[in-house]
């Protein structure tokens, strides 16, 4: 995969920080094409090896270009893919326009019709929903996770300082950091901060890190500080995304804007 990415004339910069491979593209469109192509190739290769694969998807504007590429690749046999969303607000139905289930259904699942779709139910009793979704995830290995970094460096909704790199839970409820809530407003997911729910259900960091492959798409100027902290700071739960540097099968896709403050 690295040769495929490095040889592309669209790559502005490539580097490796600890175990994390990083590729920088001129803009988010080129980033989306490159990540989408690599992920599509990986999906097809896995489906040649086994009958069914399992994927977890983040739902955020950072994923738009990658999801569009996957949606338009007609060679992917989605009937062999079981999909999960990564997190969901407590109190929002899956048909609410700001819910993550709605986002993924609208951008991808309703178009490609995966063999099995598993969405976190934000209306169900949170404890029961964590138990239900944990059971589904734990059935078999997760093959591919598509994720991003939050403006505060969070991964899924594992927030700074409360994120647990050794979390015993598979899925848990969390209280959202105000920076995370404000990001939802800044990215036009909600009109104002009061509308953003204060709690969510999220897949934990060990669950994410247990997957065979991670692809992290993080474009945009609003992610500059997060990217800088993840790549230049120490590995700490104050910057949850920094844990990606310990994972040997993760690729971080950036654009010039999100890479902007990194010194290397």
């Amino acid at each position: 995969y690295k040769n495929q990415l490095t040889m592309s004339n669209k790559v502005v910069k490539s580097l490796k920080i600890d175990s994390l491979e990083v590729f920088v593209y001129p803009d988010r469109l080129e980033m989306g094409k490159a990540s989408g192509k690599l992920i599509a190739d990986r999906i097809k290769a896995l489906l040649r090896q086994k009958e069914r694969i399992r994927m977890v998807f983040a739902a955020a504007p950072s994923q738009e270009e990658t999801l569009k590429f996957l949606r338009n690749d007609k060679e992917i046999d989605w009937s062999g893919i079981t999909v999960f969303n990564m997190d969901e607000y407590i109190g929002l139905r899956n048909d609410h326009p700001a819910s993550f289930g709605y986002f993924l259904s609208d951008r991808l699942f309703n178009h490609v019709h995966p063999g099995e779709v598993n969405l976190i139910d934000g209306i169900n009793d949170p404890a029961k929903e964590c138990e239900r979704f944990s059971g589904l995830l734990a059935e078999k290995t997760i093959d591919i996770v598509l994720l991003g970094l939050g403006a505060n460096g969070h991964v899924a909704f594992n927030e700074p300082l409360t994120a647990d790199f050794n979390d015993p839970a598979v899925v848990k409820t969390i209280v959202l950091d105000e920076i995370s809530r404000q990001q939802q407003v800044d990215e036009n997911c909600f009109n104002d901060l009061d509308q953003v729910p204060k709690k969510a259900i999220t897949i934990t960091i060990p669950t994410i890190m247990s997957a065979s492959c991670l692809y992290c798409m993080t474009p945009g100027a609003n992610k500059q500080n997060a990217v800088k902290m993840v790549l230049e700071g120490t590995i700490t739960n104050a910057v949850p995304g920094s844990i990606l540097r310990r994972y040997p099968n993760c690729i971080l896709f950036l654009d010039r804007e999100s890479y902007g403050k990194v010194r290397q």
Side-chain angles (χ1 to χ4, degrees):
Y1 71 84
K2 188 178 179 184
N3 288 343
Q4 178 184 331
L5 294 176
T6 305
M7 289 172 65
S8 167
N9 58 10
K10 299 295 185 180
V11 174
V12 174
K13 189 177 184 70
S14 65
L15 59 154
K16 187 173 184 178
I17 299 179
D18 297 325
S19 295
L20 179 63
E21 301 278 2
V22 184
F23 292 88
V24 185
Y25 292 84
D27 53 49
R28 60 190 302 149
L29 181 60
E30 292 300 337
M31 182 217 72
K33 288 179 182 175
S35 58
K37 175 73 164 60
L38 195 70
I39 294 162
D41 287 350
R42 181 66 177 161
I43 291 170
K44 293 171 201 172
L46 285 170
L47 286 172
R48 286 193 291 271
Q49 296 169 22
K50 51 187 184 177
E51 196 173 315
R52 180 167 290 275
I53 67 170
R54 291 153 60 85
M55 296 181 65
V56 173
F57 290 82
S62 61
Q63 310 297 301
E64 292 264 18
E65 291 78 15
T66 305
L67 296 179
K68 182 178 180 182
F69 188 97
L70 295 176
R71 185 174 73 232
N72 290 334
D73 188 330
K74 305 306 180 188
E75 295 179 0
I76 298 173
D77 179 8
W78 288 92
S79 67
I81 306 176
T82 297
V83 299
F84 303 84
N85 64 334
M86 183 172 282
D87 39 25
E88 187 58 272
Y89 298 110
I90 292 174
L92 287 195
R93 297 171 57 91
N94 280 325
D95 57 2
H96 189 290
S99 83
F100 296 140
Y102 179 93
F103 179 97
L104 289 170
S105 297
D106 181 65
R107 299 328 192 263
L108 185 64
F109 300 160
N110 289 347
H111 301 271
V112 299
H113 309 296
E116 184 180 327
V117 177
N118 297 292
L119 300 177
I120 298 170
D121 184 348
I123 299 298
N124 193 16
D125 173 83
K128 289 180 180 176
E129 186 58 12
C130 286
E131 184 179 357
R132 181 188 77 87
F133 213 69
S134 295
L136 292 172
L137 285 164
E139 284 176 1
K140 289 181 183 175
T141 301
I142 300 164
D143 296 287
I144 296 174
V145 173
L146 275 58
L147 67 153
L149 297 172
N152 62 0
H154 72 217
V155 175
F157 265 147
N158 297 281
E159 299 285 31
L161 298 179
T162 59
D164 185 351
F165 293 163
N166 299 301
D167 205 317
V170 176
V171 179
K172 68 178 182 180
T173 61
I174 56 92
V175 176
L176 288 167
D177 188 276
E178 186 151 325
I179 294 174
S180 294
R181 295 176 66 235
Q182 184 60 50
Q183 178 185 327
Q184 305 302 317
V185 179
D186 295 342
E187 293 181 346
N188 301 313
C189 301
F190 294 89
N191 292 327
D192 58 62
L193 195 62
D194 290 340
Q195 291 184 356
V196 185
K198 294 181 178 179
K199 294 183 178 181
I201 293 172
T202 187
I203 294 175
T204 63
I205 285 176
T207 306
I208 293 168
M209 302 291 279
S210 72
S212 300
C213 295
L214 306 180
Y215 300 96
C216 184
M217 283 64 71
T218 308
N222 67 323
K223 301 297 177 68
Q224 280 186 1
N225 288 332
V227 169
K228 183 177 175 65
M229 290 189 297
V230 164
L231 298 184
E232 293 186 349
T234 56
I235 297 174
T236 168
N237 76 338
V239 184
S242 63
I243 192 63
L244 298 178
R245 285 163 41 193
R246 287 189 186 155
Y247 188 81
N249 292 311
C250 181
I251 304 174
L252 176 60
F253 292 89
L254 306 173
D255 65 357
R256 272 203 182 99
E257 287 192 328
S258 59
Y259 185 74
K261 291 189 176 182
V262 178
R263 289 192 299 268
Q264 299 190 49

